[in-house]
Amino acid sequence: MTGRKPAELLPLPAAWLHVLVALSGGELHGYAIMSEVERLTDGVVTMGPGTLYGTLKRLHSQGLVEESEGPAEAESEGPARRYYRLTGFGERVLAAETARLSNLIHAASRGAVPSEGTS
Amino acid sequence: MMGGSHVEPSHRARTPWWLWLYPSDFRREFAHDLVLLADELVQDRGMRGRRVLAIDLLVAVPRIRWEYTMRSSPLPGQLIAALTVLAVATWLATVAFGLSSTGTIIAAVVTAILLALALAQRSVLGRAFAAPDQAPKPTTRRVLLQSWWAPLAVVHALATLTFGVALGLGGGDDVLGSVIGFAVAVVFGAGILAGLVVRLSRPGLGAAMIVIGTVPLGGAFWMWWPPVLMLLVWIGVMSSAISRARHQAHTVS
């Protein structure tokens, strides 16, 4: 993935952004990603299994996420799970998308304030 | 780690039916994770979880199937997949807009010609992907998945032939019309049966013969079953052709 610029992937589809933001706090397994996305969106977005793993597959193929070993204690807790984390490129893409959205929101906020003489 | 109740999918008596809707490669890679997540979703969220699962199947499965077909099939397979979507969408739209209008028949013929062209192209290009002689023998499951529609095609062929004979015997004042109707029905009905045989050695040509053969009776929209039967046969022929193309591509690579 060397040589690729984050801007090439922007703007990110909503599902990609949700998963990347969820993984920005560290490695997570599928259920934890789904729960984190649900929490981040105040319960508005609940990703089903196909959507979640389809998205993870796409993110993986683009080099934005990778599988990880998971925490050491995970092996003794319940069923085997696949953990995912952001790659360096994924972090840069997320940062670029966050900056893009911030600029957009900033611009929208300025536009929402009535200019002098309009009211 | 965020919590979810621990459910072990291997404790399940059998694989959930919805898992088979996903492409086999995707299923092989994520079956355990999909089942685990679905179980936890339903266990923790109850009816809402089931609703999320149902919507997810409607939204995610077609998209993932499309992506896998486009990525893993050779060009003919991709064309067939694209034209299948086009044909089914056209067909459904036509049925919705007017069951007995002339437009229905025209749309049916146009879509059938499009499909036949796609299948013929696959037949020609498909030779480049021919499986080597030492290709493994197909499993019973694979054979069933590839040919579940064949009995329906036979029923369709017999119904077409019966319709043709009835037209011929019915006679009436319009002798020329009866003769033409009889000839068309017999040619197309026999074409389906011949297509089933030809398909064994020339898959593309045989599939095209079957698809085209179903058109005359399938256009009889004043009865509910011929269009449904035709649609099922088309879907079967298409999915079988795609499956074969992908299998051959995998075998060669």
Side-chain angles (χ1 to χ4, degrees), chain B residues 40-143:
Chain B
E40 289 177 329
L41 193 61
V42 170
Q43 192 161 14
D44 291 356
R45 290 165 177 75
M47 277 310 293
R48 183 165 166 269
R50 289 185 190 281
R51 199 167 63 243
V52 169
L53 272 184
I55 294 170
D56 187 57
L57 286 178
L58 287 173
V59 174
V61 168
R63 180 172 180 185
I64 292 172
R65 278 208 162 272
W66 178 260
E67 286 178 357
Y68 269 70
T69 300
M70 287 296 134
R71 194 176 56 200
S72 61
S73 291
L75 180 63
Q78 294 178 11
L79 284 173
I80 290 170
L83 286 167
T84 302
V85 172
L86 175 69
V88 172
T90 307
W91 187 261
L92 291 175
T94 326
V95 169
F97 276 109
L99 292 180
S100 58
S101 69
T102 313
T104 307
I105 305 300
I106 293 171
V109 172
V110 167
T111 49
I113 290 171
L114 277 174
L115 288 168
L117 285 174
L119 288 167
Q121 186 171 6
R122 187 217 160 275
S123 171
V124 175
L125 297 179
R127 287 175 193 162
F129 302 100
D133 292 335
Q134 65 272 26
K137 194 179 173 186
T139 60
T140 306
R141 182 178 155 270
R142 183 173 151 72
V143 170

